[in-house]
């Protein structure tokens, strides 16, 4: 219709993940949203808004269906052993006429001393994005607070958390804050060519996180320190060997204080300070009860 503006069409990859689910829910009501997911049933159970397109990052026809005619895409890839996933998404975006791409990355890549599998994978993915010809924005996030959800079974069943590096502190970030920055970058001008460092307001250790969860649940939760060998054995049970070892390397770097520094980009972009772990824990208490 003359004089009207079409609703922006935005594609969210990784839409059932820790950040993507919040991006889907925070996008403006007038946006035409497509969610590119592997598990449509899971997305439906989560009640995510938008059109569901099933596919995998190695599924070029599926990516083409999702991205054709879109204005912007939120790019989330999750497997450092599949480095072609980012190029597949970007190639489909270019072919589909997408103008803007917002990429979720990891803040560890800003540390020159971090040169393990995960750091190299994220650096390479960022380089692909910058060379893609699209308007790009990179969101480098610190460890998401939602990683604590992995402790829920042992908290419910045994009242205990077992982890490596209980004293190591990280300025972990609420995924909802990362999603809020992503939505700004996807829907508003002024973010092209920007790289944002996204953290929580202050560093907090695993032991301190456990104490916060204990306060929320109003019952004691014990903490048991794992050795490096024990942690590696646990990761090997569910992950390929290179990724298990990469996670151990990240944990060892965290123990040196490499993840403690907080950044101000959440507030700079959204206009409000990032949430503390205490607030995240209070909102997610039922998952641990």
């Amino acid at each position: 219709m003359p004089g009207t503006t079409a609703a922006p069409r935005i594609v969210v990859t990784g839409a059932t993940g820790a950040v993507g689910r919040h991006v889907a829910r925070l996008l403006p009501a007038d946006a035409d949203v497509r969610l590119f997911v592997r598990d449509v049933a899971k997305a439906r159970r989560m009640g995510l808004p938008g059109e569901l397109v099933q596919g995998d990052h190695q599924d070029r026809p599926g990516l083409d269906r999702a991205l054709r005619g879109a204005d912007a895409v939120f790019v989330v890839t999750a497997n450092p052993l599949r480095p072609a996933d980012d190029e597949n998404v970007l190639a489909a975006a270019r072919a589909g006429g997408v103008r803007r791409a917002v990429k979720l990355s990891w803040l560890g890549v800003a540390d020159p001393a971090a040169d393990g599998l995960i750091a190299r994978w994220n650096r390479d993915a960022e380089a692909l994005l910058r060379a893609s010809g699209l308007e790009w924005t990179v969101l480098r996030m610190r460890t998401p607070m939602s990683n604590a959800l992995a402790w829920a079974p042992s908290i419910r069943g045994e009242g205990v958390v077992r982890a490596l590096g209980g004293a190591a502190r990280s300025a972990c970030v609420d995924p909802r804050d990362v999603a809020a920055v992503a939505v700004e970058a996807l829907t508003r001008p002024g973010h092209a060519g920007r790289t944002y460092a996204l953290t929580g307001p202050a560093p907090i250790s695993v032991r301190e996180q456990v104490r916060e969860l204990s306060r929320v649940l109003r019952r004691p939760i014990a903490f048991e320190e794992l050795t490096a060998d024990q942690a590696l054995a646990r990761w090997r049970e569910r992950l390929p060997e290179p990724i298990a070892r990469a996670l151990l390397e990240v944990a060892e770097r965290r123990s040196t204080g490499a993840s403690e520094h907080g950044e101000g980009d959440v507030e700079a972009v959204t206009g409000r300070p990032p949430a503390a772990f205490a607030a995240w824990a209070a909102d997610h208490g039922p998952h641990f009860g």
Side-chain angles (χ1 to χ4, degrees):
M1 294 177 61
T4 64
T5 302
R9 177 169 290 174
I10 299 171
V11 176
V12 181
T13 70
T16 60
V19 176
R21 66 184 67 186
H22 297 298
V23 172
R25 290 170 176 147
L26 290 173
L27 284 166
D30 65 346
D32 181 355
V33 179
R34 286 180 181 171
L35 309 181
F36 185 69
V37 298
R38 286 179 297 177
D39 190 338
V40 169
K42 179 180 179 180
R44 286 177 177 152
R45 288 195 303 270
M46 295 170 66
L48 297 178
E51 175 190 355
L52 298 176
V53 179
Q54 186 173 24
D56 179 87
H57 289 123
Q58 293 181 321
D59 171 16
R60 179 59 190 269
L63 285 167
D64 286 338
R65 288 195 303 274
L67 289 160
R68 189 176 297 116
D71 299 297
V73 58
F74 183 53
V75 182
V76 181
T77 53
N79 191 339
L81 301 182
R82 285 172 39 172
D85 284 2
D86 280 275
E87 179 54 38
N88 291 340
V89 175
L90 295 173
R94 287 191 297 267
V98 176
R99 299 192 315 273
R100 182 181 302 179
V102 177
K103 164 70 180 170
L104 187 65
S105 187
W106 178 52
L107 189 50
V109 304
D111 180 356
D115 194 37
L117 173 66
I118 295 174
R120 293 195 303 272
W121 166 59
N122 278 285
R123 286 194 185 104
D124 290 346
E126 289 186 13
L128 284 171
L129 179 65
R130 294 188 181 100
S132 68
L134 304 175
E135 292 182 8
W136 58 265
T137 307
V138 172
L139 310 183
R140 291 176 174 171
M141 68 182 295
R142 188 60 79 198
T143 302
M145 294 175 183
S146 55
N147 279 10
L149 291 171
W151 307 330
S154 64
I155 289 176
R156 287 193 301 264
E158 305 173 72
V160 65
V161 168
R162 299 179 181 91
L164 174 65
R169 306 179 84 206
S170 172
C172 55
V173 63
D174 190 325
R176 295 171 294 187
D177 287 331
V178 178
V181 175
V183 169
E184 288 290 321
L186 287 164
T187 61
R188 297 181 182 274
H191 303 285
R194 302 292 299 273
T195 298
Y196 294 119
L198 308 179
T199 74
I204 182 171
S205 71
V206 171
R207 288 181 180 272
E208 290 166 337
Q209 291 178 48
V210 172
R211 285 198 289 270
E212 285 291 350
L213 289 169
S214 179
R215 182 185 60 79
V216 166
L217 298 174
R218 299 183 180 180
R219 58 186 174 87
I221 302 173
F223 178 80
E224 295 181 7
E225 180 80 36
L226 296 178
T227 66
D229 286 343
Q230 289 171 329
L232 184 59
R234 285 175 169 237
W235 285 322
R236 281 170 168 161
E237 291 175 357
R238 56 187 177 85
L239 297 168
E241 178 72 13
I243 297 179
R245 289 202 168 274
L247 291 175
L248 179 60
E249 179 181 351
V250 170
E252 289 172 342
R253 287 200 56 74
R254 188 179 300 120
S255 69
T256 69
S259 300
E260 291 189 2
H261 184 64
E263 302 284 354
D265 285 348
V266 168
E267 185 167 9
V269 175
T270 67
R272 55 175 175 76
F277 184 82
W280 182 91
D283 289 344
H284 292 81
H287 293 278
F288 300 91

